[in-house]
Amino acid sequence: MLRYILAAATLAATMLPSASFAEREATETAKQELVARNELPGQSFRDYFKLFQPRKAAPVQVSYSKDWLDQQPKATGDENWKCLSEALYFEARGESVRGQFAVAEVILNRVKSSRFPDSLCGVIRQGTGKKYQCQFTYTCDGRKEVIHEKKAYERVSKVARAAIDGVARELTEGATHYHTTAVRPSWSRVYKQTARIGVHIFYRHNYRTASN
């Protein structure tokens, strides 16, 4: 009987550390999966979409109105969120809320595409430094970016947060380009028009792949 008890004790001593290690591994894995969105590095922004886009299965009910935005909590985020908020302010603050979401969608579509930089800040600042040769004119028009309309910025920052979180439905059918109705760039004659929202017309390349 004593021999049996000793054998059982020895077996327990060898098994318990393994169980403890497994528990620690599970805990660490859970911690990693719960990394806050704000802490995700900009250079891994495409990985962000791979991690969080599946949650769109249960979308938030979005109403494209200022009243809906005003009911949302104050938006916060990392550098990429700040870049998108700024872009929406200077590119689309005069647009309808629906139009602002559409512009945000184009920028996000570029991040997902291998044809463009892989972070929001990278996409928005592409070409900056060469006057009027950048992707978003406000970044290279030679004028300092100053936010004067605080309420408008507060609203577009909420649009940016919601767009990054993937809570809105697709509005532009995968568009990666847009222009206002006041101009007609040469590329608009060869890209496929996908939507017209407010004063913006949206386009995508004539072919689509898994990466764009």
Side-chain angles (χ1 to χ4, degrees):
M1 184 66 177
L2 179 59
R3 183 181 303 169
Y4 174 78
I5 295 173
L6 290 173
T10 301
L11 180 62
T14 57
M15 292 297 290
L16 287 176
S18 298
S20 179
F21 176 77
E23 290 173 358
R24 289 199 301 271
E25 285 287 286
T27 300
E28 289 303 314
T29 299
K31 288 180 179 178
Q32 292 174 9
E33 292 176 349
L34 291 174
V35 170
R37 291 188 298 267
N38 296 349
E39 296 174 358
L40 288 170
Q43 64 269 27
S44 300
F45 212 81
R46 283 186 187 138
D47 294 334
Y48 172 92
F49 290 106
K50 293 177 183 177
L51 286 171
F52 292 101
Q53 286 298 81
R55 297 183 183 181
K56 290 177 68 176
V60 173
Q61 187 63 40
V62 176
S63 173
Y64 297 109
S65 68
K66 291 180 180 179
D67 287 341
W68 181 83
L69 285 177
D70 290 342
Q71 292 171 16
Q72 304 310 303
K74 182 178 180 180
T76 60
D78 64 1
E79 189 65 21
N80 279 295
W81 165 77
K82 292 178 182 177
C83 285
L84 183 56
S85 299
E86 181 182 272
L88 292 178
Y89 177 84
F90 289 108
E91 290 281 308
R93 71 180 181 276
E95 263 283 20
S96 65
V97 174
R98 183 184 179 88
Q100 291 167 1
F101 268 98
V103 170
E105 185 178 304
V106 167
I107 298 172
L108 289 165
N109 285 341
R110 288 193 174 195
V111 174
K112 298 174 192 176
S113 172
S114 59
R115 301 167 68 95
F116 299 94
D118 61 0
S119 70
L120 285 168
C121 291
V123 164
I124 292 164
R125 296 170 182 168
Q126 187 177 13
T128 299
K130 301 175 183 179
K131 194 168 185 179
Y132 297 121
Q133 294 184 44
C134 53
Q135 296 294 308
F136 297 90
T137 305
Y138 82 92
T139 68
C140 65
D141 59 6
R143 290 180 291 182
K144 186 176 181 180
E145 290 82 50
V146 180
I147 295 173
H148 295 292
E149 301 174 39
K150 302 300 182 183
K151 186 64 175 180
Y153 179 78
E154 180 182 334
R155 284 173 173 155
V156 296
S157 70
K158 292 179 180 180
V159 172
R161 181 74 269 167
I164 291 172
D165 292 345
V167 302
R169 66 181 182 273
E170 186 175 9
L171 298 171
T172 69
E173 297 184 30
T176 53
H177 294 72
Y178 66 85
H179 65 77
T180 68
T181 54
V183 298
R184 192 187 180 195
S186 58
W187 52 259
S188 68
R189 294 191 288 271
V190 295
Y191 289 174
K192 178 178 176 57
Q193 182 176 327
T194 61
R196 180 167 181 163
I197 302 174
V199 299
H200 286 107
I201 304 175
F202 299 85
Y203 302 80
R204 69 166 182 258
H205 296 286
N206 293 324
Y207 57 90
R208 301 181 73 179
T209 67
S211 61
N212 69 359

